[in-house]
Amino acid sequence: MKLLLKGGRIIDPSQNIDAEMDLLIENGKIAKMGRDLSASENNSTTVETLDLRNALIVPGLIDMHTHLREPGHEYKETIQTGSEAAVAGGFTSIACMPNTNPINDNRSVTDFILKQAGICNMANVYPIAAISKMSEGKILSEFGDLKDAGAVAFSDDGNPVTNSRLMRNALEYAHPLDMTVISHCEVLDLSTGGTMNEGSVSTELGLQGIPNVAESIMVERDIALADYTNTSVHIAHVSTAESVRAIRAAKARGVHVTAETAPHYFTLTDEALREFSTNAKVYPPLRNMKDVESIKEGLKDGTIDVIASDHAPHSSIEKDVEFEYAASGINGLETSLSLSLKLVDDDILTFHQLIEKMSTNPARILKINKGTLTIGSDADLTIIDTQKSWTVNVNIFRSKSKNSPFQGWKLKGKAIMTIVGGEIKYKET
Ligand code: DOR
Ligand code: ZN
């Protein structure tokens, strides 16, 4: 089976390509790219031709921070519904965090996730294994065994690694395995009891706050450890100006640190919590306008390498409760691309930079063979209509959970087709 994509604008940062060209997919791989490719030239009747004039064709988007909830919390999301949400949002690959039940801290869980993902046959799913047993921050998990089973990185996401010695050991064990450690930065002594950003809004609402330093102190610690051990570290969901400043300075002195943020951190502030909207309750919390501006600057100047959804589905059982008791997390897979395209509209990023942050860079950091349209590579592609206006409606989300603070928002730009391994897995109707 062959697929011929005609007339789109191909943007592939991995090859520095930005041009109107046709692209031929054959046997699940990128076979040819060039001007005026024709179906007959390939002298076959099994070529399906798609007219993609006015659309962007980019290497399949990669979300390196997704929570799939299976095994254990299937009422919130399964590997099936999460992968369907992924392709509907334009993602061909997702890396899933280990805070399931049981935690992905041993190969039986990693095996299970990969087996389920294979059965679903929707998006590529890359398991991230826990740094420590039960993500308790006490005993390292079996890094070599987990890599062998197919884990692509290590993280205790949801929890910080409070013990600095354990974090040092994690960096030193992951390094020779060529694996990335992803750090959820949170100083619990400063955050425990808090439910939102510490600032004037938390004071007005009478809610206990979480200060910016609860994040940035640990960002500074992990930078210091990566520097000292000459290894690399990836900082998850950056939300504060102080973290951006620390990462920028570390990069300038040559420390191997990479970082991600999520769309809600450059789109919303803690003002979104005024109505005690639990769908905007997330960890780290939504900050203030100064932080939002710093995140945008960090994205623009390359301090922040990646935009990840931090897709954290929760059911109404956890969200339709008093603010203090509500679970933290935002449903992100089906809104991330559109919220991020706004950065291009606002002249903060170019398309090239946006695709770097949503495909090229996550592939590089996770060291997976994706994020490129080079001839011979897997035909994972996202087709984007940058002008399409649409309204977020959680009731038609593929995701099992509906916890989006963007319900009812009018957004511009959308994935209209998602191709994984040469097969169309999602098509806008
Ligand atoms: O808000 C959050 N939700 N932050 C995290 O770190 C974990 C996540 C979840 O798993 O729900
Ligand atoms: Zn986290």
Side-chain angles (χ1 to χ4, degrees), residues 316-391:
S316 56
I317 300 171
E318 290 94 18
K319 284 293 195 181
D320 288 351
V321 295
E322 294 90 325
F323 191 82
E324 281 176 73
Y325 302 115
S328 297
I330 288 177
N331 193 305
L333 281 170
E334 290 163 87
T335 50
S336 275
L337 172 61
S338 302
L339 294 168
S340 304
L341 280 165
K342 177 137 197 327
L343 297 173
V344 178
D345 238 22
D346 291 347
D347 276 335
I348 292 159
L349 296 182
T350 60
F351 280 124
H352 179 103
Q353 287 173 308
L354 181 73
I355 303 312
E356 275 183 327
K357 292 182 202 296
M358 298 189 78
S359 184
T360 330
N361 293 346
R364 176 173 50 82
I365 292 164
L366 296 175
K367 302 179 173 95
I368 56 176
N369 230 344
K370 297 286 180 186
T372 181
L373 298 177
T374 42
I375 306 300
S377 59
D378 296 340
D380 290 359
L381 302 102
T382 305
I383 321 292
I384 302 167
D385 177 345
T386 59
Q387 300 306 310
K388 188 182 175 76
S389 293
W390 64 288
T391 304

Side-chain angles (χ1 to χ4, degrees), residues 281-298:
K281 184 179 177 187
V282 61
Y283 193 87
L286 301 173
R287 305 289 186 179
N288 64 30
M289 203 36 111
K290 194 178 110 278
D291 295 297
V292 167
E293 290 308 323
S294 296
I295 298 285
K296 288 182 184 170
E297 277 163 34

Side-chain angles (χ1 to χ4, degrees), residues 128-198:
I128 297 170
I131 292 172
S132 65
K133 293 258 165 69
M134 308 282 284
S135 285
E136 280 177 349
K138 293 185 182 135
I139 302 163
L140 280 191
S141 51
E142 301 284 349
F143 279 18
D145 205 34
L146 284 158
K147 176 180 178 163
D148 201 46
V152 293
F154 298 105
S155 180
D156 274 353
D157 186 57
N159 297 306
V161 177
T162 294
N163 184 318
S164 303
R165 178 192 283 266
L166 192 84
M167 190 60 173
R168 174 195 177 164
N169 288 343
L171 295 173
E172 289 183 329
Y173 274 80
H175 187 67
L177 294 171
D178 206 21
M179 301 270 280
T180 302
V181 173
I182 303 172
S183 183
H184 166 117
C185 292
E186 174 177 7
V187 175
L188 294 172
D189 294 329
L190 290 165
S191 65
T192 303
T195 53
M196 67 172 293
N197 181 49
E198 180 170 294

Side-chain angles (χ1 to χ4, degrees), residues 1-218:
M1 181 62 193
K2 296 179 187 181
L3 253 181
L4 180 61
L5 314 187
K6 287 210 61 91
R9 173 178 168 194
I10 299 179
I11 299 180
D12 180 6
S14 80
Q15 307 178 77
N16 221 350
I17 290 174
D18 182 348
E20 265 174 37
M21 274 194 285
D22 302 337
L23 187 149
L24 181 74
I25 297 170
E26 210 176 318
N27 301 325
K29 306 280 180 193
I30 310 281
K32 232 186 227 183
M33 224 190 282
R35 281 178 222 284
D36 302 320
L37 300 184
S38 78
S40 58
E41 185 186 309
N42 292 287
N43 125 52
S44 162
T45 46
T46 55
V47 182
E48 186 183 347
T49 304
L50 301 167
D51 178 1
L52 296 176
R53 258 169 302 168
N54 304 321
L56 290 190
I57 301 175
V58 304
L61 304 182
I62 302 169
D63 185 20
M64 67 176 290
H65 192 142
T66 302
H67 296 271
L68 288 180
R69 308 301 191 205
E70 186 181 354
H73 302 120
E74 290 83 356
Y75 67 98
K76 302 186 196 213
E77 196 80 286
T78 62
I79 293 167
Q80 176 81 39
T81 57
S83 326
E84 280 173 10
V87 296
F91 295 99
T92 55
S93 296
I94 49 181
C96 57
M97 284 297 175
N99 62 339
T100 47
N101 185 15
I103 300 259
N104 183 12
D105 64 2
N106 66 81
R107 73 177 305 144
S108 67
V109 181
T110 306
D111 284 344
F112 170 81
I113 294 167
L114 288 171
K115 189 170 137 254
Q116 288 297 102
I119 294 168
C120 297
N121 188 26
M122 193 55 60
N124 305 298
V125 176
Y126 293 95
I128 297 170
I131 292 172
S132 65
K133 293 258 165 69
M134 308 282 284
S135 285
E136 280 177 349
K138 293 185 182 135
I139 302 163
L140 280 191
S141 51
E142 301 284 349
F143 279 18
D145 205 34
L146 284 158
K147 176 180 178 163
D148 201 46
V152 293
F154 298 105
S155 180
D156 274 353
D157 186 57
N159 297 306
V161 177
T162 294
N163 184 318
S164 303
R165 178 192 283 266
L166 192 84
M167 190 60 173
R168 174 195 177 164
N169 288 343
L171 295 173
E172 289 183 329
Y173 274 80
H175 187 67
L177 294 171
D178 206 21
M179 301 270 280
T180 302
V181 173
I182 303 172
S183 183
H184 166 117
C185 292
E186 174 177 7
V187 175
L188 294 172
D189 294 329
L190 290 165
S191 65
T192 303
T195 53
M196 67 172 293
N197 181 49
E198 180 170 294
S200 56
V201 181
S202 67
T203 305
E204 278 181 57
L205 295 179
L207 293 173
Q208 191 175 324
I210 301 166
N212 281 19
V213 285
E215 173 179 302
S216 60
I217 288 175
M218 200 171 281

Side-chain angles (χ1 to χ4, degrees), residues 243-260:
S243 303
V244 173
R245 205 164 58 213
I247 295 161
R248 182 181 291 122
K251 283 188 167 188
R253 31 174 231 280
V255 181
H256 299 293
V257 55
T258 54
E260 75 190 29

